[in-house]
Amino acid sequence: MRHGILFVVSAPSGTGKTTVVEELVGAVPDLVMSRSYTSRVPREGEVDGVDYHFIGPEVFEEMLAAGEFLESATVFGHRYGTSVGDTENYLGQGQDVVLVIDVQGAEQIKQQNSEMTSIFVMPPSFEELEKRLRGRSGSGAIEADLRWRLDTARREIEVRGRYDYIVVNDDVKECVDSLRCIVLAERSRARAMKSEGSAIAGSFIHDQMKST
């Protein structure tokens, strides 16, 4: 059984990264989206174990101290982390894993795992990102929070060059198609095909021995 590939997807808040990754996972077999753990309370409509694993701040700190997170970060005042155990279980079963995390977490994982594939999803423009954030927040949006998210987005955009791929989410379908192409291309790389390629090559040697 081959070992799964770890994909890391980052994007500024409001870009639509979770939406496109969820559609990607639905379109590509043997690809799973890892659910992060968070210390914040669920928002309206969110479901534990589906959107995130919601745990209290004390439990989060206990897991962090025990080394149970592959990466962790504070994002807009809340703690988020990716489980080491969950990720390794998926990869060990030959499934590819997509982590939807911010640039802080991506940098942490890059320092530990040089074989990960990183993708940065960009909005088509700053103006469009602001429009999406305002639309998502509704008429009751707090201007200070919007400004904070947009300022954070400016900083995150600056590190896009550290990623292996850059995809623009101007159209969801086209963005998902681009991500799908990246996943399929990475699955065909020599390092990903090492086990399967060796098995196939072995059959040639075995056949040659039979014929001599």
Side-chain angles (χ1 to χ4, degrees):
M1 181 182 294
R2 76 178 183 92
H3 191 267
I5 303 170
L6 181 62
F7 294 92
V8 171
V9 176
S10 302
S13 174
T15 302
K17 58 185 179 295
T18 301
T19 298
V20 296
V21 169
E22 286 177 342
E23 293 206 15
L24 172 69
V25 168
V28 180
D30 297 321
L31 181 67
V32 296
M33 178 179 173
S34 177
R35 302 297 177 181
S36 297
Y37 288 72
T38 180
S39 63
R40 70 169 175 79
V41 298
R43 300 189 182 110
E44 184 178 353
E46 290 183 328
V47 179
D48 184 37
V50 176
D51 298 284
Y52 291 95
H53 295 290
F54 295 98
I55 56 178
E58 292 183 2
V59 176
F60 190 99
E61 294 304 323
E62 289 173 0
M63 292 179 67
L64 182 63
E68 296 182 31
F69 289 129
L70 182 63
E71 59 80 30
S72 64
T74 300
V75 183
F76 301 119
H78 300 292
R79 300 283 273 160
Y80 294 85
T82 301
S83 168
V84 174
D86 292 351
T87 304
E88 291 184 345
N89 285 339
Y90 284 130
L91 295 174
Q93 294 168 9
Q95 292 184 296
D96 298 329
V97 180
V98 185
L99 306 182
V100 181
I101 56 179
D102 80 318
V103 296
Q104 301 176 59
E107 188 62 32
Q108 291 177 41
I109 295 178
K110 186 175 183 179
Q111 292 173 3
Q112 303 172 49
N113 188 342
S114 60
E115 293 190 353
M116 78 171 193
T117 298
S118 58
I119 307 168
F120 193 89
V121 180
M122 297 182 66
S125 67
F126 178 84
E127 291 74 20
E128 177 61 24
L129 180 63
E130 182 174 10
K131 178 182 176 181
R132 292 178 186 180
L133 283 171
R134 289 187 181 280
R136 187 177 71 175
S137 301
S139 58
I142 300 174
E143 190 67 24
D145 181 71
L146 286 171
R147 288 295 118 194
W148 183 22
R149 291 177 185 274
L150 290 170
D151 287 343
T152 300
R154 287 191 180 94
R155 294 193 296 272
E156 291 174 333
I157 288 291
E158 291 300 315
V159 304
R160 65 191 183 282
R162 300 179 190 173
Y163 287 71
D164 299 315
Y165 297 92
I166 296 176
V167 177
V168 178
N169 184 18
D170 191 7
D171 176 85
V172 171
K173 184 181 182 301
E174 291 181 3
C175 183
V176 172
D177 286 344
S178 295
L179 293 173
R180 178 177 174 275
C181 289
I182 291 170
V183 171
L184 296 182
E186 288 296 312
R187 286 181 174 180
S188 296
R189 293 187 67 176
R191 71 186 186 196
M193 289 291 291
K194 184 176 181 180
S195 296
E196 186 175 350
S198 295
I200 295 172
S203 71
F204 281 75
I205 296 173
H206 179 69
D207 184 74
Q208 183 182 37
M209 292 175 65
K210 285 196 306 181
S211 62
T212 57

